[in-house]
Short mmCIF file of all heavy atoms in Angstrom, two decimals:
data_model
loop_
_atom_site.label_atom_id
_atom_site.label_comp_id
_atom_site.label_asym_id
_atom_site.label_seq_id
_atom_site.Cartn_x
_atom_site.Cartn_y
_atom_site.Cartn_z
N MET A 17 -127.27 99.63 -59.78
CA MET A 17 -127.58 98.90 -58.55
C MET A 17 -129.10 98.78 -58.41
O MET A 17 -129.81 99.77 -58.49
CB MET A 17 -126.99 99.64 -57.36
CG MET A 17 -127.41 99.05 -56.03
SD MET A 17 -126.63 99.88 -54.65
CE MET A 17 -125.70 98.52 -54.04
N PRO A 18 -129.59 97.56 -58.17
CA PRO A 18 -131.04 97.39 -58.02
C PRO A 18 -131.59 98.11 -56.79
O PRO A 18 -130.91 98.20 -55.77
CB PRO A 18 -131.22 95.88 -57.88
CG PRO A 18 -129.99 95.28 -58.45
CD PRO A 18 -128.90 96.28 -58.18
N THR A 19 -132.78 98.58 -56.91
CA THR A 19 -133.46 99.26 -55.82
C THR A 19 -134.09 98.23 -54.88
O THR A 19 -134.13 97.03 -55.18
CB THR A 19 -134.57 100.17 -56.36
OG1 THR A 19 -135.52 99.33 -57.04
CG2 THR A 19 -134.03 101.22 -57.31
N VAL A 20 -134.60 98.70 -53.75
CA VAL A 20 -135.33 97.83 -52.83
C VAL A 20 -136.49 97.17 -53.58
O VAL A 20 -136.71 95.96 -53.47
CB VAL A 20 -135.83 98.63 -51.61
CG1 VAL A 20 -136.82 97.81 -50.78
CG2 VAL A 20 -134.66 99.08 -50.75
N LEU A 21 -137.23 97.95 -54.34
CA LEU A 21 -138.35 97.41 -55.11
C LEU A 21 -137.86 96.33 -56.07
O LEU A 21 -138.46 95.25 -56.14
CB LEU A 21 -139.06 98.53 -55.89
CG LEU A 21 -140.14 98.07 -56.86
CD1 LEU A 21 -141.28 97.37 -56.12
CD2 LEU A 21 -140.66 99.23 -57.68
N ALA A 22 -136.78 96.59 -56.78
CA ALA A 22 -136.26 95.62 -57.74
C ALA A 22 -135.91 94.30 -57.05
O ALA A 22 -136.28 93.22 -57.52
CB ALA A 22 -135.02 96.19 -58.43
N ARG A 23 -135.22 94.39 -55.93
CA ARG A 23 -134.85 93.17 -55.19
C ARG A 23 -136.07 92.44 -54.66
O ARG A 23 -136.15 91.21 -54.72
CB ARG A 23 -133.89 93.53 -54.05
CG ARG A 23 -132.51 93.93 -54.52
CD ARG A 23 -131.52 94.04 -53.37
NE ARG A 23 -131.93 94.95 -52.32
CZ ARG A 23 -131.64 96.25 -52.29
NH1 ARG A 23 -130.93 96.80 -53.26
NH2 ARG A 23 -132.04 97.01 -51.29
N ASN A 24 -137.04 93.18 -54.13
CA ASN A 24 -138.24 92.55 -53.58
C ASN A 24 -139.08 91.87 -54.64
O ASN A 24 -139.61 90.78 -54.41
CB ASN A 24 -139.07 93.56 -52.80
CG ASN A 24 -138.43 93.94 -51.48
OD1 ASN A 24 -137.56 93.25 -50.97
ND2 ASN A 24 -138.86 95.06 -50.93
N VAL A 25 -139.22 92.49 -55.80
CA VAL A 25 -139.98 91.87 -56.90
C VAL A 25 -139.29 90.58 -57.32
O VAL A 25 -139.93 89.52 -57.44
CB VAL A 25 -140.15 92.83 -58.09
CG1 VAL A 25 -140.67 92.10 -59.33
CG2 VAL A 25 -141.11 93.97 -57.72
N ALA A 26 -137.98 90.64 -57.51
CA ALA A 26 -137.24 89.45 -57.95
C ALA A 26 -137.31 88.34 -56.89
O ALA A 26 -137.56 87.17 -57.22
CB ALA A 26 -135.80 89.81 -58.25
N ARG A 27 -137.12 88.69 -55.62
CA ARG A 27 -137.18 87.69 -54.54
C ARG A 27 -138.54 87.02 -54.47
O ARG A 27 -138.65 85.80 -54.34
CB ARG A 27 -136.87 88.35 -53.19
CG ARG A 27 -135.42 88.62 -52.95
CD ARG A 27 -135.22 89.21 -51.56
NE ARG A 27 -133.86 89.69 -51.45
CZ ARG A 27 -133.49 90.74 -50.76
NH1 ARG A 27 -134.39 91.46 -50.11
NH2 ARG A 27 -132.24 91.11 -50.70
N ARG A 28 -139.58 87.85 -54.52
CA ARG A 28 -140.94 87.30 -54.41
C ARG A 28 -141.26 86.44 -55.63
O ARG A 28 -141.86 85.36 -55.49
CB ARG A 28 -141.94 88.47 -54.28
CG ARG A 28 -143.32 88.04 -53.96
CD ARG A 28 -143.43 87.50 -52.54
NE ARG A 28 -144.74 86.94 -52.35
CZ ARG A 28 -144.99 85.82 -51.70
NH1 ARG A 28 -144.03 85.18 -51.11
NH2 ARG A 28 -146.21 85.37 -51.61
N ARG A 29 -140.87 86.89 -56.81
CA ARG A 29 -141.11 86.12 -58.03
C ARG A 29 -140.42 84.76 -57.94
O ARG A 29 -141.03 83.73 -58.23
CB ARG A 29 -140.61 86.92 -59.25
CG ARG A 29 -140.80 86.21 -60.56
CD ARG A 29 -140.38 87.06 -61.73
NE ARG A 29 -138.97 87.42 -61.73
CZ ARG A 29 -137.97 86.59 -62.08
NH1 ARG A 29 -138.23 85.34 -62.43
NH2 ARG A 29 -136.72 87.01 -62.08
N HIS A 30 -139.18 84.76 -57.51
CA HIS A 30 -138.43 83.50 -57.37
C HIS A 30 -139.08 82.60 -56.32
O HIS A 30 -139.17 81.38 -56.52
CB HIS A 30 -136.98 83.76 -57.01
CG HIS A 30 -136.17 84.30 -58.14
ND1 HIS A 30 -135.71 83.53 -59.18
CD2 HIS A 30 -135.74 85.56 -58.40
CE1 HIS A 30 -135.03 84.28 -60.03
NE2 HIS A 30 -135.04 85.52 -59.58
N ALA A 31 -139.51 83.18 -55.21
CA ALA A 31 -140.14 82.40 -54.14
C ALA A 31 -141.40 81.70 -54.62
O ALA A 31 -141.71 80.59 -54.16
CB ALA A 31 -140.46 83.31 -52.95
N LEU A 32 -142.11 82.33 -55.54
CA LEU A 32 -143.34 81.73 -56.08
C LEU A 32 -143.05 80.81 -57.27
O LEU A 32 -143.98 80.18 -57.79
CB LEU A 32 -144.30 82.84 -56.50
CG LEU A 32 -144.89 83.66 -55.34
CD1 LEU A 32 -145.62 84.88 -55.88
CD2 LEU A 32 -145.82 82.80 -54.50
N GLY A 33 -141.80 80.76 -57.71
CA GLY A 33 -141.45 79.91 -58.83
C GLY A 33 -141.86 80.45 -60.18
O GLY A 33 -142.00 79.69 -61.14
N TYR A 34 -142.05 81.76 -60.28
CA TYR A 34 -142.47 82.39 -61.53
C TYR A 34 -141.25 82.83 -62.34
O TYR A 34 -140.30 83.37 -61.78
CB TYR A 34 -143.29 83.65 -61.28
CG TYR A 34 -144.64 83.48 -60.65
CD1 TYR A 34 -145.32 84.59 -60.15
CD2 TYR A 34 -145.27 82.26 -60.54
CE1 TYR A 34 -146.56 84.47 -59.57
CE2 TYR A 34 -146.52 82.12 -59.96
CZ TYR A 34 -147.16 83.24 -59.47
OH TYR A 34 -148.39 83.12 -58.90
N SER A 35 -141.32 82.64 -63.62
CA SER A 35 -140.35 83.27 -64.52
C SER A 35 -140.84 84.71 -64.76
O SER A 35 -141.98 85.04 -64.45
CB SER A 35 -140.29 82.52 -65.85
OG SER A 35 -141.52 82.66 -66.55
N GLN A 36 -139.97 85.52 -65.32
CA GLN A 36 -140.40 86.87 -65.69
C GLN A 36 -141.56 86.80 -66.68
O GLN A 36 -142.51 87.58 -66.58
CB GLN A 36 -139.24 87.67 -66.28
CG GLN A 36 -138.21 88.10 -65.29
CD GLN A 36 -137.14 88.96 -65.90
OE1 GLN A 36 -137.01 89.09 -67.12
NE2 GLN A 36 -136.32 89.56 -65.05
N LEU A 37 -141.49 85.85 -67.58
CA LEU A 37 -142.53 85.72 -68.60
C LEU A 37 -143.88 85.35 -67.99
O LEU A 37 -144.91 85.92 -68.36
CB LEU A 37 -142.11 84.69 -69.65
CG LEU A 37 -142.97 84.61 -70.89
CD1 LEU A 37 -142.98 85.93 -71.64
CD2 LEU A 37 -142.45 83.50 -71.79
N ILE A 38 -143.88 84.43 -67.05
CA ILE A 38 -145.13 84.02 -66.39
C ILE A 38 -145.72 85.19 -65.61
O ILE A 38 -146.93 85.47 -65.69
CB ILE A 38 -144.91 82.81 -65.46
CG1 ILE A 38 -144.53 81.56 -66.28
CG2 ILE A 38 -146.12 82.54 -64.58
CD1 ILE A 38 -145.59 81.08 -67.24
N LEU A 39 -144.89 85.89 -64.83
CA LEU A 39 -145.39 87.05 -64.08
C LEU A 39 -145.93 88.10 -65.03
O LEU A 39 -147.01 88.66 -64.80
CB LEU A 39 -144.28 87.64 -63.20
CG LEU A 39 -144.66 88.90 -62.42
CD1 LEU A 39 -145.87 88.65 -61.51
CD2 LEU A 39 -143.47 89.40 -61.62
N ALA A 40 -145.22 88.37 -66.10
CA ALA A 40 -145.67 89.36 -67.08
C ALA A 40 -147.02 88.98 -67.66
O ALA A 40 -147.92 89.82 -67.79
CB ALA A 40 -144.63 89.50 -68.19
N HIS A 41 -147.19 87.71 -67.99
CA HIS A 41 -148.46 87.23 -68.55
C HIS A 41 -149.61 87.46 -67.57
O HIS A 41 -150.65 88.00 -67.93
CB HIS A 41 -148.34 85.75 -68.91
CG HIS A 41 -149.63 85.13 -69.33
ND1 HIS A 41 -150.17 85.35 -70.59
CD2 HIS A 41 -150.49 84.33 -68.67
CE1 HIS A 41 -151.32 84.70 -70.67
NE2 HIS A 41 -151.53 84.07 -69.52
N HIS A 42 -149.41 87.05 -66.32
CA HIS A 42 -150.46 87.21 -65.31
C HIS A 42 -150.78 88.68 -65.03
O HIS A 42 -151.94 89.04 -64.86
CB HIS A 42 -150.08 86.52 -64.00
CG HIS A 42 -150.16 85.02 -64.08
ND1 HIS A 42 -151.32 84.34 -64.33
CD2 HIS A 42 -149.19 84.09 -63.94
CE1 HIS A 42 -151.10 83.05 -64.34
NE2 HIS A 42 -149.80 82.86 -64.11
N ALA A 43 -149.75 89.51 -64.96
CA ALA A 43 -149.94 90.93 -64.64
C ALA A 43 -150.32 91.76 -65.86
O ALA A 43 -150.57 92.96 -65.74
CB ALA A 43 -148.67 91.49 -63.99
N GLU A 44 -150.33 91.11 -67.03
CA GLU A 44 -150.69 91.76 -68.29
C GLU A 44 -149.79 92.95 -68.61
O GLU A 44 -150.25 94.02 -69.00
CB GLU A 44 -152.17 92.18 -68.28
CG GLU A 44 -153.10 90.99 -68.13
CD GLU A 44 -154.56 91.38 -68.03
OE1 GLU A 44 -154.87 92.52 -67.62
OE2 GLU A 44 -155.40 90.53 -68.36
N ILE A 45 -148.49 92.73 -68.38
CA ILE A 45 -147.48 93.71 -68.79
C ILE A 45 -146.38 92.94 -69.53
O ILE A 45 -146.34 91.71 -69.47
CB ILE A 45 -146.90 94.50 -67.59
CG1 ILE A 45 -146.25 93.57 -66.57
CG2 ILE A 45 -147.98 95.34 -66.94
CD1 ILE A 45 -145.63 94.31 -65.41
N SER A 46 -145.52 93.63 -70.21
CA SER A 46 -144.50 92.93 -71.00
C SER A 46 -143.39 92.38 -70.12
O SER A 46 -143.09 92.92 -69.05
CB SER A 46 -143.91 93.87 -72.06
OG SER A 46 -143.12 94.86 -71.44
N GLN A 47 -142.77 91.31 -70.60
CA GLN A 47 -141.64 90.72 -69.90
C GLN A 47 -140.50 91.72 -69.81
O GLN A 47 -139.78 91.76 -68.82
CB GLN A 47 -141.19 89.43 -70.60
CG GLN A 47 -140.06 88.70 -69.90
CD GLN A 47 -138.69 89.18 -70.30
OE1 GLN A 47 -138.46 89.57 -71.43
NE2 GLN A 47 -137.77 89.17 -69.36
N SER A 48 -140.36 92.56 -70.83
CA SER A 48 -139.29 93.55 -70.79
C SER A 48 -139.51 94.54 -69.64
O SER A 48 -138.54 95.02 -69.03
CB SER A 48 -139.14 94.29 -72.12
OG SER A 48 -140.28 95.04 -72.42
N TRP A 49 -140.77 94.84 -69.31
CA TRP A 49 -141.04 95.72 -68.16
C TRP A 49 -140.64 95.05 -66.86
O TRP A 49 -140.09 95.69 -65.96
CB TRP A 49 -142.51 96.16 -68.11
CG TRP A 49 -142.67 97.59 -68.47
CD1 TRP A 49 -143.24 98.10 -69.58
CD2 TRP A 49 -142.21 98.72 -67.72
NE1 TRP A 49 -143.17 99.47 -69.56
CE2 TRP A 49 -142.54 99.88 -68.44
CE3 TRP A 49 -141.54 98.87 -66.51
CZ2 TRP A 49 -142.24 101.16 -67.98
CZ3 TRP A 49 -141.23 100.14 -66.05
CH2 TRP A 49 -141.58 101.27 -66.79
N ILE A 50 -140.91 93.74 -66.73
CA ILE A 50 -140.49 93.02 -65.52
C ILE A 50 -138.97 93.12 -65.38
O ILE A 50 -138.45 93.42 -64.31
CB ILE A 50 -140.93 91.54 -65.56
CG1 ILE A 50 -142.46 91.40 -65.69
CG2 ILE A 50 -140.41 90.79 -64.34
CD1 ILE A 50 -143.25 91.91 -64.52
N SER A 51 -138.28 92.90 -66.48
CA SER A 51 -136.82 93.00 -66.48
C SER A 51 -136.36 94.39 -66.08
O SER A 51 -135.43 94.55 -65.27
CB SER A 51 -136.27 92.62 -67.85
OG SER A 51 -134.88 92.75 -67.89
N ARG A 52 -137.01 95.40 -66.62
CA ARG A 52 -136.65 96.79 -66.31
C ARG A 52 -136.89 97.10 -64.83
O ARG A 52 -136.08 97.76 -64.18
CB ARG A 52 -137.42 97.75 -67.21
CG ARG A 52 -136.92 97.69 -68.66
CD ARG A 52 -137.87 98.26 -69.66
NE ARG A 52 -138.19 99.66 -69.44
CZ ARG A 52 -139.10 100.32 -70.15
NH1 ARG A 52 -139.79 99.71 -71.12
NH2 ARG A 52 -139.34 101.58 -69.91
N ILE A 53 -138.00 96.62 -64.30
CA ILE A 53 -138.31 96.84 -62.88
C ILE A 53 -137.26 96.16 -62.00
O ILE A 53 -136.76 96.74 -61.05
CB ILE A 53 -139.73 96.33 -62.55
CG1 ILE A 53 -140.77 97.22 -63.25
CG2 ILE A 53 -139.97 96.29 -61.04
CD1 ILE A 53 -142.16 96.62 -63.30
N GLU A 54 -136.92 94.92 -62.36
CA GLU A 54 -135.92 94.18 -61.58
C GLU A 54 -134.51 94.75 -61.75
O GLU A 54 -133.61 94.42 -60.99
CB GLU A 54 -135.97 92.70 -61.93
CG GLU A 54 -137.23 92.03 -61.42
CD GLU A 54 -137.28 90.54 -61.66
OE1 GLU A 54 -136.30 89.96 -62.17
OE2 GLU A 54 -138.31 89.93 -61.32
N SER A 55 -134.35 95.62 -62.74
CA SER A 55 -133.07 96.31 -62.93
C SER A 55 -133.05 97.68 -62.27
O SER A 55 -132.05 98.38 -62.32
CB SER A 55 -132.77 96.45 -64.43
OG SER A 55 -132.59 95.18 -65.00
N GLY A 56 -134.19 98.10 -61.71
CA GLY A 56 -134.22 99.34 -60.97
C GLY A 56 -135.12 100.44 -61.51
O GLY A 56 -135.23 101.50 -60.91
N GLU A 57 -135.79 100.19 -62.64
CA GLU A 57 -136.69 101.21 -63.17
C GLU A 57 -137.99 101.23 -62.35
O GLU A 57 -138.45 100.19 -61.89
CB GLU A 57 -137.01 100.93 -64.64
CG GLU A 57 -137.64 102.11 -65.33
CD GLU A 57 -137.50 102.05 -66.84
OE1 GLU A 57 -136.55 101.44 -67.35
OE2 GLU A 57 -138.37 102.64 -67.49
N THR A 58 -138.55 102.40 -62.15
CA THR A 58 -139.76 102.55 -61.34
C THR A 58 -141.01 102.42 -62.20
O THR A 58 -141.18 103.16 -63.15
CB THR A 58 -139.76 103.93 -60.64
OG1 THR A 58 -138.55 104.05 -59.89
CG2 THR A 58 -140.95 104.08 -59.72
N PRO A 59 -141.91 101.50 -61.84
CA PRO A 59 -143.16 101.33 -62.59
C PRO A 59 -144.21 102.34 -62.13
O PRO A 59 -144.06 102.98 -61.08
CB PRO A 59 -143.59 99.92 -62.23
CG PRO A 59 -143.09 99.74 -60.83
CD PRO A 59 -141.78 100.50 -60.78
N SER A 60 -145.28 102.42 -62.90
CA SER A 60 -146.41 103.26 -62.49
C SER A 60 -147.10 102.61 -61.29
O SER A 60 -146.90 101.41 -61.01
CB SER A 60 -147.42 103.38 -63.64
OG SER A 60 -148.04 102.12 -63.88
N LEU A 61 -147.91 103.37 -60.59
CA LEU A 61 -148.64 102.84 -59.45
C LEU A 61 -149.58 101.72 -59.87
O LEU A 61 -149.69 100.69 -59.19
CB LEU A 61 -149.42 103.95 -58.74
CG LEU A 61 -150.16 103.56 -57.47
CD1 LEU A 61 -149.21 102.92 -56.46
CD2 LEU A 61 -150.85 104.75 -56.87
N GLY A 62 -150.22 101.88 -61.02
CA GLY A 62 -151.11 100.83 -61.52
C GLY A 62 -150.36 99.53 -61.78
O GLY A 62 -150.83 98.44 -61.43
N MET A 63 -149.18 99.64 -62.38
CA MET A 63 -148.36 98.46 -62.65
C MET A 63 -147.89 97.84 -61.34
O MET A 63 -147.88 96.62 -61.19
CB MET A 63 -147.17 98.86 -63.52
CG MET A 63 -146.46 97.69 -64.15
SD MET A 63 -145.10 98.22 -65.22
CE MET A 63 -145.97 99.07 -66.53
N LEU A 64 -147.53 98.67 -60.39
CA LEU A 64 -147.09 98.19 -59.09
C LEU A 64 -148.21 97.43 -58.37
O LEU A 64 -147.98 96.38 -57.76
CB LEU A 64 -146.61 99.36 -58.25
CG LEU A 64 -145.83 99.07 -56.99
CD1 LEU A 64 -144.65 98.16 -57.25
CD2 LEU A 64 -145.38 100.37 -56.36
N ASN A 65 -149.42 97.94 -58.47
CA ASN A 65 -150.58 97.25 -57.88
C ASN A 65 -150.80 95.89 -58.52
O ASN A 65 -151.08 94.90 -57.83
CB ASN A 65 -151.85 98.10 -58.01
CG ASN A 65 -151.94 99.14 -56.93
OD1 ASN A 65 -151.70 98.85 -55.76
ND2 ASN A 65 -152.29 100.35 -57.30
N LYS A 66 -150.69 95.81 -59.84
CA LYS A 66 -150.84 94.53 -60.54
C LYS A 66 -149.77 93.54 -60.10
O LYS A 66 -150.05 92.38 -59.84
CB LYS A 66 -150.74 94.72 -62.06
CG LYS A 66 -151.96 95.29 -62.70
CD LYS A 66 -151.72 95.36 -64.21
CE LYS A 66 -152.91 95.90 -64.93
NZ LYS A 66 -152.71 95.87 -66.39
N LEU A 67 -148.53 94.02 -60.03
CA LEU A 67 -147.44 93.14 -59.61
C LEU A 67 -147.67 92.62 -58.20
O LEU A 67 -147.50 91.42 -57.94
CB LEU A 67 -146.10 93.88 -59.68
CG LEU A 67 -145.54 94.13 -61.07
CD1 LEU A 67 -144.33 95.04 -60.98
CD2 LEU A 67 -145.19 92.83 -61.74
N ALA A 68 -148.03 93.50 -57.29
CA ALA A 68 -148.28 93.09 -55.91
C ALA A 68 -149.37 92.02 -55.86
O ALA A 68 -149.22 91.00 -55.16
CB ALA A 68 -148.67 94.29 -55.06
N HIS A 69 -150.42 92.21 -56.62
CA HIS A 69 -151.52 91.24 -56.63
C HIS A 69 -151.03 89.86 -57.08
O HIS A 69 -151.29 88.86 -56.41
CB HIS A 69 -152.65 91.74 -57.54
CG HIS A 69 -153.76 90.75 -57.69
ND1 HIS A 69 -154.70 90.56 -56.71
CD2 HIS A 69 -154.05 89.89 -58.69
CE1 HIS A 69 -155.54 89.61 -57.10
NE2 HIS A 69 -155.17 89.20 -58.30
N TYR A 70 -150.32 89.80 -58.18
CA TYR A 70 -149.89 88.52 -58.72
C TYR A 70 -148.68 87.95 -57.98
O TYR A 70 -148.41 86.75 -58.08
CB TYR A 70 -149.65 88.60 -60.22
CG TYR A 70 -150.97 88.68 -60.94
CD1 TYR A 70 -151.42 89.88 -61.46
CD2 TYR A 70 -151.80 87.57 -61.02
CE1 TYR A 70 -152.66 89.97 -62.06
CE2 TYR A 70 -153.04 87.65 -61.61
CZ TYR A 70 -153.47 88.85 -62.14
OH TYR A 70 -154.70 88.93 -62.72
N LEU A 71 -148.00 88.77 -57.19
CA LEU A 71 -146.93 88.27 -56.35
C LEU A 71 -147.46 87.91 -54.95
O LEU A 71 -146.70 87.61 -54.04
CB LEU A 71 -145.80 89.31 -56.25
CG LEU A 71 -144.99 89.49 -57.53
CD1 LEU A 71 -144.05 90.68 -57.40
CD2 LEU A 71 -144.21 88.22 -57.88
N LYS A 72 -148.79 87.99 -54.80
CA LYS A 72 -149.48 87.62 -53.56
C LYS A 72 -148.94 88.37 -52.35
O LYS A 72 -148.64 87.79 -51.30
CB LYS A 72 -149.40 86.11 -53.36
CG LYS A 72 -150.06 85.33 -54.48
CD LYS A 72 -149.90 83.85 -54.26
CE LYS A 72 -150.70 83.04 -55.19
NZ LYS A 72 -150.37 82.77 -56.48
N THR A 73 -148.82 89.69 -52.53
CA THR A 73 -148.35 90.55 -51.45
C THR A 73 -149.01 91.91 -51.62
O THR A 73 -149.99 92.04 -52.37
CB THR A 73 -146.80 90.64 -51.48
OG1 THR A 73 -146.36 91.27 -50.29
CG2 THR A 73 -146.27 91.35 -52.70
N ASP A 74 -148.52 92.92 -50.94
CA ASP A 74 -149.07 94.25 -51.11
C ASP A 74 -147.95 95.22 -51.50
O ASP A 74 -146.76 94.89 -51.39
CB ASP A 74 -149.81 94.75 -49.87
CG ASP A 74 -148.98 94.65 -48.61
OD1 ASP A 74 -147.81 95.08 -48.63
OD2 ASP A 74 -149.49 94.14 -47.61
N VAL A 75 -148.34 96.37 -51.96
CA VAL A 75 -147.39 97.36 -52.46
C VAL A 75 -146.42 97.77 -51.35
O VAL A 75 -145.21 97.88 -51.59
CB VAL A 75 -148.12 98.60 -53.05
CG1 VAL A 75 -147.15 99.72 -53.36
CG2 VAL A 75 -148.90 98.19 -54.30
N SER A 76 -146.91 97.97 -50.15
CA SER A 76 -146.02 98.41 -49.07
C SER A 76 -144.93 97.38 -48.79
O SER A 76 -143.79 97.75 -48.47
CB SER A 76 -146.81 98.73 -47.79
OG SER A 76 -147.46 97.58 -47.31
N THR A 77 -145.23 96.11 -48.92
CA THR A 77 -144.22 95.07 -48.73
C THR A 77 -143.19 95.11 -49.84
O THR A 77 -141.99 94.93 -49.59
CB THR A 77 -144.89 93.68 -48.65
OG1 THR A 77 -145.79 93.68 -47.54
CG2 THR A 77 -143.87 92.58 -48.48
N LEU A 78 -143.63 95.35 -51.07
CA LEU A 78 -142.68 95.44 -52.18
C LEU A 78 -141.75 96.64 -52.03
O LEU A 78 -140.61 96.59 -52.48
CB LEU A 78 -143.42 95.53 -53.52
CG LEU A 78 -144.13 94.27 -53.98
CD1 LEU A 78 -144.85 94.52 -55.31
CD2 LEU A 78 -143.17 93.09 -54.11
N LEU A 79 -142.23 97.69 -51.39
CA LEU A 79 -141.43 98.91 -51.24
C LEU A 79 -140.59 98.93 -49.96
O LEU A 79 -139.73 99.79 -49.80
CB LEU A 79 -142.34 100.13 -51.27
CG LEU A 79 -143.07 100.38 -52.59
CD1 LEU A 79 -144.07 101.51 -52.44
CD2 LEU A 79 -142.08 100.66 -53.71
N ALA A 80 -140.86 97.98 -49.05
CA ALA A 80 -140.17 97.97 -47.76
C ALA A 80 -138.79 97.33 -47.87
O ALA A 80 -138.61 96.33 -48.53
CB ALA A 80 -141.01 97.22 -46.74
N ASP A 81 -137.84 97.93 -47.19
CA ASP A 81 -136.49 97.40 -47.15
C ASP A 81 -136.41 96.35 -46.05
O ASP A 81 -136.52 96.68 -44.86
CB ASP A 81 -135.51 98.54 -46.86
CG ASP A 81 -134.06 98.11 -46.95
OD1 ASP A 81 -133.78 96.88 -46.94
OD2 ASP A 81 -133.20 99.00 -47.01
N PRO A 82 -136.22 95.07 -46.40
CA PRO A 82 -136.18 94.03 -45.38
C PRO A 82 -135.01 94.21 -44.41
O PRO A 82 -135.10 93.80 -43.26
CB PRO A 82 -136.06 92.73 -46.17
CG PRO A 82 -135.67 93.11 -47.55
CD PRO A 82 -136.06 94.53 -47.74
N GLU A 83 -133.95 94.83 -44.85
CA GLU A 83 -132.81 95.10 -43.97
C GLU A 83 -133.21 96.07 -42.86
O GLU A 83 -132.82 95.89 -41.71
CB GLU A 83 -131.64 95.68 -44.76
CG GLU A 83 -131.15 94.79 -45.88
CD GLU A 83 -130.61 93.46 -45.39
OE1 GLU A 83 -129.90 93.44 -44.37
OE2 GLU A 83 -130.92 92.43 -46.01
N GLN A 84 -133.99 97.08 -43.20
CA GLN A 84 -134.45 98.05 -42.20
C GLN A 84 -135.35 97.38 -41.17
O GLN A 84 -135.26 97.65 -39.99
CB GLN A 84 -135.20 99.20 -42.87
CG GLN A 84 -134.33 100.08 -43.72
CD GLN A 84 -133.34 100.88 -42.90
OE1 GLN A 84 -133.57 101.17 -41.73
NE2 GLN A 84 -132.22 101.22 -43.50
N ARG A 85 -136.23 96.49 -41.64
CA ARG A 85 -137.13 95.79 -40.73
C ARG A 85 -136.36 94.92 -39.76
O ARG A 85 -136.65 94.90 -38.58
CB ARG A 85 -138.15 94.94 -41.50
CG ARG A 85 -139.30 95.75 -42.06
CD ARG A 85 -140.30 94.83 -42.64
NE ARG A 85 -139.72 94.33 -43.89
CZ ARG A 85 -140.36 93.62 -44.79
NH1 ARG A 85 -141.59 93.26 -44.59
NH2 ARG A 85 -139.78 93.24 -45.90
N SER A 86 -135.35 94.20 -40.25
CA SER A 86 -134.59 93.32 -39.36
C SER A 86 -133.79 94.11 -38.34
O SER A 86 -133.62 93.70 -37.22
CB SER A 86 -133.69 92.39 -40.17
OG SER A 86 -132.70 93.11 -40.85
N HIS A 87 -133.29 95.30 -38.73
CA HIS A 87 -132.57 96.15 -37.78
C HIS A 87 -133.50 96.69 -36.70
O HIS A 87 -133.12 96.77 -35.56
CB HIS A 87 -131.89 97.33 -38.51
CG HIS A 87 -130.73 96.89 -39.35
ND1 HIS A 87 -129.67 96.21 -38.85
CD2 HIS A 87 -130.51 97.03 -40.69
CE1 HIS A 87 -128.81 95.94 -39.82
NE2 HIS A 87 -129.31 96.43 -40.95
N ARG A 88 -134.73 97.03 -37.07
CA ARG A 88 -135.69 97.54 -36.10
C ARG A 88 -136.06 96.47 -35.09
O ARG A 88 -136.21 96.72 -33.91
CB ARG A 88 -136.95 98.05 -36.79
CG ARG A 88 -136.85 99.51 -37.16
CD ARG A 88 -138.16 100.02 -37.66
NE ARG A 88 -137.99 100.14 -39.10
CZ ARG A 88 -138.89 99.87 -40.00
NH1 ARG A 88 -140.07 99.44 -39.67
NH2 ARG A 88 -138.64 100.01 -41.28
N HIS A 89 -136.23 95.21 -35.56
CA HIS A 89 -136.62 94.13 -34.68
C HIS A 89 -135.47 93.69 -33.77
O HIS A 89 -135.70 93.13 -32.71
CB HIS A 89 -137.14 92.92 -35.47
CG HIS A 89 -138.42 93.19 -36.17
ND1 HIS A 89 -139.56 93.55 -35.49
CD2 HIS A 89 -138.75 93.16 -37.48
CE1 HIS A 89 -140.55 93.73 -36.36
NE2 HIS A 89 -140.08 93.51 -37.57
N ALA A 90 -134.25 93.97 -34.17
CA ALA A 90 -133.09 93.57 -33.38
C ALA A 90 -132.86 94.48 -32.18
O ALA A 90 -132.15 94.12 -31.26
CB ALA A 90 -131.84 93.57 -34.27
N ARG A 91 -133.46 95.63 -32.17
CA ARG A 91 -133.27 96.59 -31.08
C ARG A 91 -133.97 96.20 -29.81
O ARG A 91 -134.88 95.59 -29.63
CB ARG A 91 -133.76 97.98 -31.49
CG ARG A 91 -132.89 98.55 -32.56
CD ARG A 91 -133.37 99.92 -32.88
NE ARG A 91 -132.69 100.36 -34.11
CZ ARG A 91 -132.85 101.51 -34.64
NH1 ARG A 91 -133.65 102.39 -34.11
NH2 ARG A 91 -132.23 101.86 -35.72
#
């Protein structure tokens, strides 16, 4: 089962119109690592920072559960 991070990376990548290969090229990591992250593997902090930069967001957003945020705002 994908993690919150995995889902957020994939969602953001799709929203920007990036393939895994394009994101990997920009972030200077392998496409197989992008696939592994989107499958639930945890990247290093340095890799996470690179991904956040090229996904035009921040690390805290990639780690945040959007379901939790929507529940908090509904109260």
